[in-house]
Amino acid sequence: MNWGIFEGLLSGVNKYSTAFGRIWLSLVFIFRVLVYLVTAERVWSDDHKDFDCNTKQPGCSNVCFDEFFPVSHVRLWALQLILVTCPSLLVVMHVAYREAREKKHREAVGEDGGRLYLNPGKKRGGLWWTYVCSLVFKAGVDTAFLYVFHSFYPKYTLPHVVKCHAAPCPNTVDCFISKPSEKNIFTLFMVVTAAICILLNLVELAYLVSKRCREGLAARRARATGGGHRPDCPTSSYKEDDLLSGDLIFLGSDSHPPLLPDRPRDHVKKTML
């Protein structure tokens, strides 16, 4: 396993995350990915080999194992971790797209031709929506997998003895799971960490939405204050808020309305003549 890839990914995503996002990433990579790679795979490596049933009927043990373990814990966790970490990569890719677009714009118009983005990594415009959607997706994935785990394994625990009566078993047989107590401990640990990750995603989502609402209210108040003094000329603070709140900016491209003559009637007469 090349840990440098995970380290580079963690530093790249942390660069554009909030404080809650950094805590979430640390929790995922340390308490979920690391535990999965180092411990969980070894604990579940003998689940099929040591699944014993008190019968010698050929095929009975395989059928009972498939009935009780339709999907392995480790494979579900692997799929869950892949789907949970993918949205963070989308945020990094969106920032890279912004930086490439800004670079092409500078090469085309020069350094004095204005900028498309004040800060490509700032969560404004499309990047804000990408980040918010990634939070919703991550919380939804963890919630869906917790539901799947509960539907397959009620109360997220494994019994010591499994009653099986599926064909070709001659009658109801008793099957025994390997190391059920140890597996229950790691299952509950992964479930608790997933629940904490969902809570962090929801808290970060509420923080971003509330911050955006406060900025919108502040912009409206600045607009109302500026409009009360000079209705035909926006204030500099209001203009700065508009530049910061938008996704794209074009500096130095303000167009002014044409100047009207002092006496419009005389101008109309001269035009008609």
Side-chain angles (χ1 to χ4, degrees):
M1 174 60 65
N2 188 1
W3 295 103
I5 298 177
F6 288 97
E7 183 180 0
L9 177 64
L10 182 62
S11 60
V13 176
N14 268 336
K15 187 177 179 181
Y16 310 110
S17 300
T18 63
F20 298 105
R22 295 186 182 97
I23 297 174
W24 179 87
L25 281 171
S26 301
L27 189 65
V28 167
F29 281 91
I30 296 176
F31 293 98
R32 297 179 69 177
V33 176
L34 191 61
V35 170
Y36 170 80
L37 294 176
V38 176
T39 307
E41 285 186 328
R42 297 181 181 180
V43 173
W44 268 267
S45 60
D46 58 349
D47 54 352
H48 191 190
K49 181 178 63 175
D50 294 339
F51 185 82
D52 296 329
C53 297
N54 57 356
T55 181
K56 297 298 182 180
Q57 179 69 27
C60 180
S61 297
N62 292 333
V63 171
C64 292
F65 180 83
D66 183 71
E67 181 180 3
F68 188 75
F69 291 99
V71 182
S72 176
H73 284 68
V74 291
R75 291 177 179 85
L76 277 177
W77 282 330
L79 182 60
Q80 181 182 5
L81 292 174
I82 291 173
L83 294 178
V84 163
T85 54
C86 281
S88 300
L89 295 178
L90 293 178
V91 175
V92 177
M93 292 171 61
H94 195 162
V95 175
Y97 166 76
R98 279 186 161 193
E99 293 176 349
R101 190 178 179 186
E102 178 67 28
K103 182 179 179 181
K104 290 182 179 180
H105 176 74
R106 291 186 180 182
E107 292 177 353
V109 301
E111 295 293 336
D112 299 332
R115 298 177 58 184
L116 292 177
Y117 305 98
L118 287 174
N119 184 5
K122 193 174 183 62
K123 290 181 284 295
R124 298 288 182 177
L127 184 60
W128 187 87
W129 285 105
T130 301
Y131 197 89
V132 168
C133 291
S134 69
L135 294 177
V136 175
F137 184 81
K138 289 185 290 188
V141 166
D142 277 334
T143 304
F145 273 90
L146 288 181
Y147 175 77
V148 170
F149 271 105
H150 187 270
S151 62
F152 286 161
Y153 312 104
K155 297 182 180 180
Y156 305 106
T157 56
L158 302 177
H160 291 76
V161 181
V162 178
K163 300 290 184 179
C164 179
H165 52 82
C169 298
N171 48 24
T172 302
V173 297
D174 296 332
C175 297
F176 305 92
I177 302 173
S178 172
K179 298 179 290 187
S181 300
E182 185 178 8
K183 292 179 180 179
N184 287 334
I185 292 174
F186 281 100
T187 301
L188 293 177
F189 179 83
M190 298 295 283
V191 168
V192 170
T193 52
I196 295 175
C197 287
I198 295 174
L199 180 61
L200 287 174
N201 287 327
L202 296 179
V203 171
E204 187 176 8
L205 180 62
Y207 167 75
L208 289 175
V209 173
S210 61
K211 182 180 178 181
R212 192 62 179 268
C213 292
R214 290 195 304 268
E215 291 176 353
L217 293 175
R220 290 183 180 180
R221 292 175 183 175
R223 186 186 298 115
T225 304
H229 294 287
R230 297 183 63 183
D232 57 342
C233 181
T235 60
S236 59
S237 61
Y238 168 62
K239 192 172 184 179
E240 182 180 358
D241 289 336
D242 283 346
L243 291 177
L244 292 177
S245 61
D247 188 14
L248 298 176
I249 62 170
F250 299 92
L251 301 179
S253 62
D254 294 336
S255 59
H256 301 279
L259 298 177
L260 296 177
D262 296 335
R263 296 182 179 180
R265 294 183 180 179
D266 295 342
H267 179 71
V268 172
K269 291 179 181 179
K270 290 180 182 180
T271 304
M272 292 177 64
L273 293 177

